[in-house]
């Protein structure tokens, strides 16, 4: 996860993105169904963080083709932060040597990587990329993709607010302000199709939206279970450094946290989190 020009938001604990990947695997395919796995040998995950997606893709390949038929596959992640790069490589078990992370800048891939990859993916980079930087980033993704290869771009809209959930609504608004303050683009979903279409020449160009439901326990259940509370608390604490770096005081952060927990304990908080996928086959 990275932006070569803005690094403040990388203060988010990467374990938060581990938890997010677990959720996404339940709703989003590892790759869009229109992309044939059998034609993928060289794969790039741009801004990969701990490279959870790359490991998931390799597992799917093993399940569908067997280890002998994927011996030539290389799934490379590019990550700006050296400590995250080191941690990611240390955590890779299955596919070691075939699934790996390289330290690098997604805005400036090496010149010898032109038309190198069969599949290039960028997922959830909106917190790290300023609105005016997307054309340059997408141009790099297209450059390193082979002719006939695929570029996949996935970003979320903000979760929906509720009529009787001011704490939840305040949290979402605060996160949006922080992402903007730290140089991200929280509303990029509305511009994705135009930006992607302008970034290259495509044989195919497809989009899809998946809405992920989010709902707490109902009031009839009484309150959050202990394990639910611990999970929410750990996720809030993972957000804390970035929120403070973005101008939210420690006291305000704690107040928002307590407001949201109180709502989760006393009423059902229902929200939808829409994720947009755009993918194209390069001419």
């Amino acid at each position: 996860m990275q932006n070569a020009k803005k690094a403040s938001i990388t203060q988010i604990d990467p374990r938060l993105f581990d938890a997010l990947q677990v959720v996404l695997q339940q709703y989003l395919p590892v790759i869009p169904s229109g992309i044939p796995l059998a034609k993928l040998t060289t794969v790039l995950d741009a801004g990969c963080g701990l490279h959870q997606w790359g490991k998931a893709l390799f597992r799917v390949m093993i399940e569908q083709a067997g280890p002998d038929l994927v011996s030539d596959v290389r799934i490379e992640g590019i990550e700006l932060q050296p400590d995250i790069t080191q941690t990611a490589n240390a955590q890779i078990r299955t596919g070691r040597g075939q699934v790996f992370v390289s330290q690098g800048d997604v805005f400036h891939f090496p010149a010898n990587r032109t038309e190198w990859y069969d599949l290039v993916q960028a997922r959830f980079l909106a917190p790290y990329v300023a609105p005016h930087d997307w054309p340059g980033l997408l141009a790099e993704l297209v450059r390193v993709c082979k002719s006939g290869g695929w570029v996949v771009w996935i970003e979320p809209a903000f979760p929906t607010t509720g009529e009787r959930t001011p704490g939840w609504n305040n949290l979402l608004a605060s996160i949006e302000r922080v992402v903007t303050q730290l140089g991200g683009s929280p509303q990029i979903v509305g511009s994705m199709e135009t930006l992607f279409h302008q970034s290259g020449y495509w044989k195919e160009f497809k989009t899809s939206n998946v809405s992920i439901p989010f709902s707490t326990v109902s009031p009839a259940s009484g309150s959050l279970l202990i394990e639910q509370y611990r999970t929410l608390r750990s996720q809030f604490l993972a957000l804390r450094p970035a929120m403070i770096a973005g101008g939210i005081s420690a006291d305000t952060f704690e107040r928002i946290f307590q407001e949201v927990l109180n709502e989760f304990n006393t009423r059902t908080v229902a929200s939808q989190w829409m994720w947009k996928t755009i993918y194209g086959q390069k001419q």
Side-chain angles (χ1 to χ4, degrees):
M1 302 292 182
Q2 60 191 302
N3 180 345
K5 303 178 175 93
K6 291 278 187 179
S8 300
I9 241 178
T10 54
Q11 296 177 67
I12 295 178
D13 191 325
R15 288 174 295 182
L16 184 60
F17 294 99
D18 276 358
L20 176 60
Q21 177 65 19
V22 172
V23 174
L24 292 180
Q25 286 178 353
Q26 300 176 48
Y27 295 95
L28 298 179
V30 177
I31 61 172
S33 58
I35 300 176
L37 276 175
K39 293 186 177 181
L40 304 182
T41 301
T42 51
V43 177
L44 174 68
D45 185 12
C48 66
L50 294 174
H51 207 21
Q52 300 296 347
W53 174 81
K55 290 185 284 188
L57 176 60
F58 189 77
R59 287 194 296 269
V60 171
M61 289 179 162
I62 290 287
E63 291 169 1
Q64 294 193 11
D68 293 340
L69 294 181
V70 299
S71 59
D72 293 333
V73 168
R74 298 293 183 270
I75 304 175
E76 180 179 6
I78 296 293
E79 171 56 46
L80 184 65
Q81 304 301 317
D83 54 337
I84 297 178
T85 301
Q86 182 177 6
T87 299
N89 283 318
Q91 291 180 353
I92 292 172
R93 300 292 183 264
T94 302
R96 187 180 293 270
Q98 293 182 260
V99 183
F100 58 95
V101 178
S102 302
Q103 186 181 353
D105 179 359
V106 298
F107 287 91
H108 304 286
F109 293 110
N112 65 358
R113 284 297 192 263
T114 298
E115 299 230 342
W116 188 270
Y117 300 99
D118 299 306
L119 173 66
V120 177
Q121 182 200 234
R123 176 188 296 222
F124 200 24
L125 298 187
Y128 312 93
V129 179
H132 60 270
D133 286 333
W134 283 107
L137 173 57
L138 291 169
E140 274 294 272
L141 301 183
V142 173
R143 177 179 70 83
V144 300
C145 181
K146 293 178 181 177
S147 177
W150 298 85
V151 177
V152 180
W153 183 21
I154 305 172
E155 298 293 342
F158 257 73
T160 57
T161 57
E163 293 183 1
R164 299 179 60 249
T165 54
W168 172 249
N169 299 347
N170 188 23
L171 172 64
L172 296 178
S174 298
I175 293 174
E176 183 172 358
R177 288 196 301 272
V178 165
V179 171
T180 301
Q181 176 67 25
L182 295 180
S185 42
Q187 298 296 335
I188 194 61
V189 165
S191 304
M192 285 177 67
E193 289 191 44
T194 298
L195 287 167
F196 193 90
H197 183 74
Q198 294 173 346
S199 66
Y201 297 97
W202 308 104
K203 293 180 180 179
E204 287 189 68
F205 180 97
K206 296 184 179 180
T207 67
S208 64
N209 297 327
V210 172
S211 187
I212 298 177
F214 174 84
S215 180
T216 62
V217 294
S218 67
S221 299
S223 63
L224 289 171
L225 301 175
I226 292 177
E227 188 58 36
Q228 291 173 320
Y229 173 82
R230 289 174 177 168
T231 299
L232 285 169
R233 181 170 181 79
S234 67
Q235 292 172 350
F236 266 90
L237 292 178
L239 281 172
R240 189 176 189 274
M243 296 286 280
I244 291 176
I248 303 296
S249 70
D251 288 344
T252 300
F253 177 83
E254 184 62 26
R255 176 178 56 78
I256 294 172
F257 174 50
Q258 293 301 328
E259 287 177 351
V260 173
L261 280 183
N262 181 60
E263 285 182 355
F264 285 6
N265 264 315
T266 57
R267 63 172 62 99
T268 297
V269 178
S271 181
Q272 295 288 327
W273 197 10
M274 192 276 284
W275 286 71
K276 189 177 194 69
T277 298
I278 299 182
Y279 64 102
Q281 185 178 24
K282 181 180 173 181
Q283 286 189 2

